[in-house]
Amino acid sequence: MANLVAHTVIRNLAAGYDVRKMGIGALKKPLRFYASDQVHSCHQKALETLGLGSEALVEIESDDRQRMRIDVLEAAIAQDRANRLQPACVIGTAGTTNTGAIDDLTAIADLCEREGLWFHVDGCIGGVLRLVPEHAHLVAGIERAGSVAIDPHKWLHTPFEAGAVLIKDPEAHFATFEMHGPYLQLQERGMIAGKFLADYGLELSRGFRALKIWMAFKEQGSAKFGRLIAQDIDLARYMAAQIEAHPLLELVAPVDLNIVCFRHIAADEDAAKALNTEIMLRIQELGLAVPSDTTVQGKHALRCAFNNHRTQPEDIDGFLGDVLRVAEEIQSEQQA
């Protein structure tokens, strides 16, 4: 929902006319939004919901660290303009869901300034890294974005669901959603004096979701959240080191934040996918842990994301021990 709100503002600005009145059928050129091929699927869903279609999202090839390639992005924008399409926005990702990769936000901001495009950051994982002094540099350039989406139910430990979007242009934000029936007339005094929150999003009636985020900051303080985020990153790096040191395990992607993608080594890619999928399922069914799986550059892997403040290094040692033990059981069964 946070990204949908931002994309609605961006669409209405890029259209250059009153979209709310005339609809998207009056678009002179199809709009294009650019993101890496690692972008979260919610962006496609948002653009489909806005009537722009899935083709409006142009996925740009990522490099060997799963970061959007700026040279490919520039070429795509130039090609689209030559094809009479209208580039509208570049979506930079601060922590991909797949591997935790962070796009070069400064380079994207520079490009957007040159090209006259809106710069949006999907910071649903890494948007809060500014709370961590030793890791804040990882999201340098995020302050130059026109909008940033954040999920407090990730690294701020807020109960589901809690999404937030920050938009720099308050007038554009208000103009995108402002609407009043005769039953909701704004007043200068009284209960709905000043800004009405429904004028900044799609929902009219909604729960007070912001309260739990505000209460968490009041109780814990931003510095504590920063320490917990740093702890998760340290744990992910510890796990990566243990994996790299073991001859039967391998990392499938670099560890930039709190996500570790790895697998048990097998004879070939098909065997690796079959073995690691069975490892994951058995570990889940035994109640030992809840790893997920993913595919990174064609390689199937187990995926672990660190968010629990109670996790300790010994938990990681135990989990990796379980992976090795279960793998041995599977291979023994296959040989029997």
Side-chain angles (χ1 to χ4, degrees), residues 217-238:
F217 272 101
K218 291 293 287 185
E219 170 66 19
Q220 306 295 342
S222 60
K224 185 171 185 178
F225 282 121
R227 291 195 298 271
L228 292 175
I229 292 168
Q231 176 178 293
D232 286 337
I233 294 174
D234 288 344
L235 289 170
R237 292 177 178 178
Y238 172 80

Side-chain angles (χ1 to χ4, degrees), residues 84-122:
R84 296 188 56 77
L85 302 173
Q86 184 178 341
C89 170
V90 179
I91 304 163
T93 302
T96 62
T97 300
N98 214 21
T99 66
I102 301 174
D103 289 332
D104 187 339
L105 303 181
T106 296
I108 296 173
D110 290 342
L111 182 146
C112 287
E113 287 184 5
R114 292 194 306 270
E115 299 286 345
L117 304 179
W118 186 286
F119 177 29
H120 174 71
V121 173
D122 183 340

Side-chain angles (χ1 to χ4, degrees), residues 55-174:
E55 288 186 353
L57 181 62
V58 181
E59 294 191 1
I60 303 299
E61 177 186 352
S62 55
D63 62 18
D64 58 0
R65 295 187 67 88
Q66 288 75 60
R67 301 169 301 185
M68 181 160 48
R69 287 184 51 184
I70 305 301
D71 59 331
V72 178
L73 171 62
E74 288 182 304
I77 292 170
Q79 185 62 55
D80 281 347
R81 285 202 167 115
N83 291 337
R84 296 188 56 77
L85 302 173
Q86 184 178 341
C89 170
V90 179
I91 304 163
T93 302
T96 62
T97 300
N98 214 21
T99 66
I102 301 174
D103 289 332
D104 187 339
L105 303 181
T106 296
I108 296 173
D110 290 342
L111 182 146
C112 287
E113 287 184 5
R114 292 194 306 270
E115 299 286 345
L117 304 179
W118 186 286
F119 177 29
H120 174 71
V121 173
D122 183 340
C124 289
I125 293 178
V128 294
L129 278 171
R130 286 299 180 90
L131 298 176
V132 195
E134 62 266 41
H135 297 302
H137 66 282
L138 295 173
V139 290
I142 194 171
E143 71 283 353
R144 297 169 64 188
S147 51
V148 179
I150 297 171
D151 276 353
H153 59 235
K154 290 188 172 72
W155 252 345
L156 296 182
H157 302 267
T158 305
F160 279 118
E161 90 310 333
V165 62
L166 309 174
I167 296 177
K168 271 187 178 176
D169 187 336
E171 288 78 20
H173 192 180
F174 181 79

